[in-house]
Amino acid sequence: MNKNLQTVLIGCAVAVAASAATVSIMQPRTINPAIEDTQLADTRSNGNVWKVANHPGVENDFTKAAESTINGVVSIKSFAAPRASQGRQGYVDPFFEFFFGSPYGQQQQPRQQQQEQQQQPLGLGSGVIISEDGYIVTNNHVVDGADRLEITLNDNRTFNATVIGTDPTTDLALIKIEAKNLPVIPFGDSDALKVGEWVLAVGNPFGFTSTVTTGIVSAKARSISSATNSRRMGIESYIQTDAAVNPGNSGGALVNLAGELVGINTAIYSQTGNYAGYSFAIPTSIVTKIMSDIKQYGTVQRAVLGITYRELTPELKKENDITAVNDGLLVEEVVDRSAAMNAGIRKGDVIIALNDVATHNGALLMEQINRFRPGDKVKITFVRANQKQSVETTLFNNQGSTGLVQAANIMNLGCAFKKLSDDTKKELKVSYGVQVTGIKDGKFKDAGIKDGFVILDINNARVNSAEDVEKVYNSIMKTDEYDKVMFITGIYPTGRKMYYAVDLAD
């Protein structure tokens, strides 16, 4: 054989062999799903041994999860009479304006056009079917202020919904439609979610039905009030994701690749109200408990630990001579008649775990507390004088007891309210007010209020109708304050001015 030809053939053989080796390295092996390390000798690197990992293919087929969940997400349209709608459009909470736009992605209609319509669209949102007989979970801000809710299923059937209960504190609501054999999205374990895991957001952004977007879990136990300098919400432990969520997605599903519900999409980090990178969902660990309470008791049975705290920082560690831990919650005050006081927690203690779940920050503590009802027992792990300790205590409600809280109902006041006539105003020399009538057993009678009493203001807010009284009552009952009191100023027909404090606590 020609020597030059022999050289060429040898060179080709080496090239083929090298190509084969390259194919062997780059082709992932799927027989064994475990990661397998392969040692390769590179003669060009002086015989050094390099490790190359053969990874299994990443599961990124979202079709099954999408197909199994889109039928379980509904579109919610809310409608209200012009008076209710004007009230909502006239004032926009800065917190919701930051996350949802102003007002909720809709433009205000001219006053004349509003008056011409008996009932006008208030907003759009989404909801998740959680039972075959028609129970649906959504956000409170989706249904708040609505006179009528119209639900559209993925098969285009429409129903009117009844509000079973709401919890403004966590921005959750439970509504129901009269239907059977509905598709249900099963609840998943939000605690098992991992940062970096794929998730899908399913909802109806901008009115487009059955929209699915994908992303990953960007963070867990995320507090958003500190990032936006806005008011604190009832929960500070959101699932943060980069799945695109827009107005109309509120109340929709966040699901894992198994098609399980792991969160309810709630907020968008945005200054325009449209998607700008991150969105937030309430984890199902909280949703499950809130929905169960509303369905069973009509209101949320909220447990309270009874402390104020600051998240531990290097400066606080140095200032308080704390060396045993690097993070936790530094107790600043212990509330009287609280679970924390009953447990012997003191100012200066650092709470580091609740029921053996680490509380690195306030968001994690609030997430754990929101899982419990008054009367439940928990173990608090804390550090005092750089010594780790644990104590078991019973959680209380915000009245310092373990009793069940009744759903807020203005009928508990035990009376009716009558608008003042012009003649009565003239006689009493007042320009506004509402008169108490038909008093019977209830909060007003317990406080000493009698028939004929004219209420002028409640908690420094003027009242001129039964609707005004109800608005103040609902505002008081929606707060998580320890004291729920109506401070009432008024006058009797005799001209005697009186002041009453009406305790609304159960």
Side-chain angles (χ1 to χ4, degrees):
M1 182 181 294
N2 186 288
K3 185 176 182 180
N4 291 335
L5 179 59
Q6 184 179 12
T7 302
V8 170
L9 291 176
I10 292 174
C12 290
V14 171
V16 171
S19 299
T22 302
V23 171
S24 175
I25 296 169
M26 299 303 294
Q27 180 64 36
R29 297 178 63 185
T30 57
I31 298 174
N32 186 349
I35 296 174
E36 179 182 338
D37 289 341
T38 304
Q39 291 187 348
L40 301 174
D42 189 342
T43 55
R44 293 171 298 175
S45 301
N46 299 319
N48 292 332
V49 175
W50 302 88
K51 284 190 175 182
V52 178
N54 291 327
H55 294 267
V58 177
E59 177 61 51
N60 59 359
D61 183 359
F62 311 120
T63 57
K64 291 182 180 179
E67 289 172 358
S68 66
T69 55
I70 57 174
N71 291 320
V73 176
V74 303
S75 173
I76 301 176
K77 292 181 182 179
S78 58
F79 298 85
R83 180 190 63 81
S85 180
Q86 287 171 3
R88 186 169 180 179
Q89 289 185 350
Y91 172 74
V92 178
D93 188 323
F95 177 87
F96 285 106
E97 183 176 20
F98 184 88
F99 286 110
F100 304 106
S102 173
Y104 299 86
Q106 298 184 49
Q107 295 184 351
Q108 295 186 15
Q109 294 179 334
R111 185 180 182 87
Q112 182 177 357
Q113 184 178 351
Q114 290 179 346
Q115 292 174 341
E116 290 174 355
Q117 299 174 340
Q118 276 192 339
Q119 210 173 59
Q120 66 180 22
L122 188 64
L124 292 171
S126 303
V128 180
I129 302 172
I130 59 174
S131 72
E132 293 183 349
D133 58 348
Y135 283 96
I136 297 169
V137 60
T138 185
N139 286 142
N140 175 69
H141 74 261
V142 170
V143 304
D144 187 34
D147 294 331
R148 181 170 67 90
L149 296 173
E150 182 181 280
I151 310 302
T152 303
L153 305 185
N154 195 43
D155 60 9
N156 288 327
R157 285 185 293 165
T158 61
F159 301 85
N160 286 329
T162 301
V163 177
I164 302 301
T166 63
D167 183 38
T169 302
T170 54
D171 195 23
L172 288 170
L174 181 65
I175 62 178
K176 189 178 187 303
I177 60 176
E178 294 304 318
K180 296 181 179 179
N181 301 319
L182 295 175
V184 176
I185 299 180
F187 274 74
D189 184 2
S190 58
D191 290 342
L193 274 181
K194 296 181 179 179
V195 174
E197 183 176 340
W198 283 105
V199 286
L200 281 69
V202 187
N204 305 281
F206 306 115
F208 297 122
T209 58
S210 306
T211 298
V212 179
T213 56
T214 64
I216 61 168
V217 175
S218 305
K220 294 180 65 178
R222 177 68 77 200
S223 170
I224 56 181
S225 62
S226 58
T228 61
N229 296 317
S230 56
R231 66 181 175 87
R232 293 181 71 88
M233 298 292 285
I235 66 168
E236 289 293 313
S237 186
Y238 292 92
I239 300 169
Q240 179 181 323
T241 172
D242 62 354
V245 171
N246 282 293
N249 271 113
S250 294
L254 186 73
V255 300
N256 58 24
L257 291 191
E260 298 169 332
L261 185 71
V262 292
I264 297 296
N265 295 316
T266 299
I268 308 165
Y269 189 86
S270 169
Q271 294 183 354
T272 64
N274 295 334
Y275 176 70
Y278 291 111
S279 53
F280 302 87
I282 303 170
T284 51
S285 58
I286 294 175
V287 175
T288 303
K289 192 264 180 182
I290 299 297
M291 292 301 100
S292 176
D293 278 0
I294 290 176
K295 191 173 181 181
Q296 186 172 352
Y297 305 107
T299 188
V300 178
Q301 304 300 320
R302 183 164 282 113
V304 177
L305 185 57
I307 62 169
T308 61
Y309 59 83
R310 294 171 68 185
E311 294 181 1
L312 202 59
T313 64
E315 292 75 21
L316 286 175
K317 283 184 58 182
K318 184 176 180 180
E319 182 181 329
N320 293 273
D321 192 28
I322 298 171
T323 59
V325 290
N326 293 318
D327 58 32
L329 305 173
L330 179 65
V331 176
E332 291 202 315
E333 181 184 358
V334 179
V335 178
D336 290 344
R337 299 172 58 234
S338 67
M341 175 170 282
N342 194 48
I345 300 296
R346 304 175 191 168
K347 179 180 179 179
D349 291 347
V350 180
I351 296 178
I352 59 174
L354 194 75
N355 275 6
D356 296 324
V357 177
T359 54
H360 301 296
N361 52 46
L364 289 169
L365 176 66
M366 293 182 71
E367 180 179 1
Q368 291 304 310
I369 291 292
N370 270 303
R371 298 167 186 242
F372 299 103
R373 297 187 177 109
D376 290 343
K377 291 186 177 181
V378 296
K379 184 176 76 170
I380 305 173
T381 305
F382 61 97
V383 170
R384 176 182 297 166
N386 289 314
Q387 297 296 316
K388 184 177 177 182
Q389 302 181 39
S390 292
V391 64
E392 191 176 81
T393 188
T394 300
L395 293 173
F396 297 150
N397 58 31
N398 58 12
Q399 299 302 314
S401 72
T402 58
L404 292 177
V405 177
Q406 301 300 315
N409 189 333
I410 195 169
M411 298 301 292
N412 294 334
L413 298 181
C415 64
F417 301 96
K418 182 173 67 175
K419 193 174 180 66
L420 291 183
S421 66
D422 291 338
D423 289 342
T424 303
K425 290 179 182 178
K426 188 175 181 180
E427 289 175 9
L428 296 176
K429 297 181 177 60
V430 296
S431 59
Y432 64 93
V434 62
Q435 193 166 37
V436 176
T437 182
I439 199 156
K440 56 184 181 180
D441 290 343
K443 299 292 185 181
F444 271 26
K445 185 176 181 180
D446 292 343
I449 297 175
K450 297 178 176 60
D451 266 341
F453 181 65
V454 176
I455 300 174
L456 298 176
D457 62 70
I458 303 175
N459 292 5
N460 296 319
R462 288 188 175 189
V463 293
N464 201 36
S465 65
E467 289 78 8
D468 290 343
V469 177
E470 185 173 6
K471 186 184 297 183
V472 175
Y473 174 84
N474 289 335
S475 176
I476 294 171
M477 297 305 291
K478 285 178 180 179
T479 67
D480 283 332
E481 299 296 328
Y482 281 83
D483 297 319
K484 298 182 186 294
V485 183
M486 277 185 166
F487 294 103
I488 298 176
T489 301
I491 187 171
Y492 279 102
T494 59
R496 184 185 180 190
K497 196 169 186 179
M498 289 292 293
Y499 305 88
Y500 294 99
V502 180
D503 184 5
L504 301 181
D506 294 312

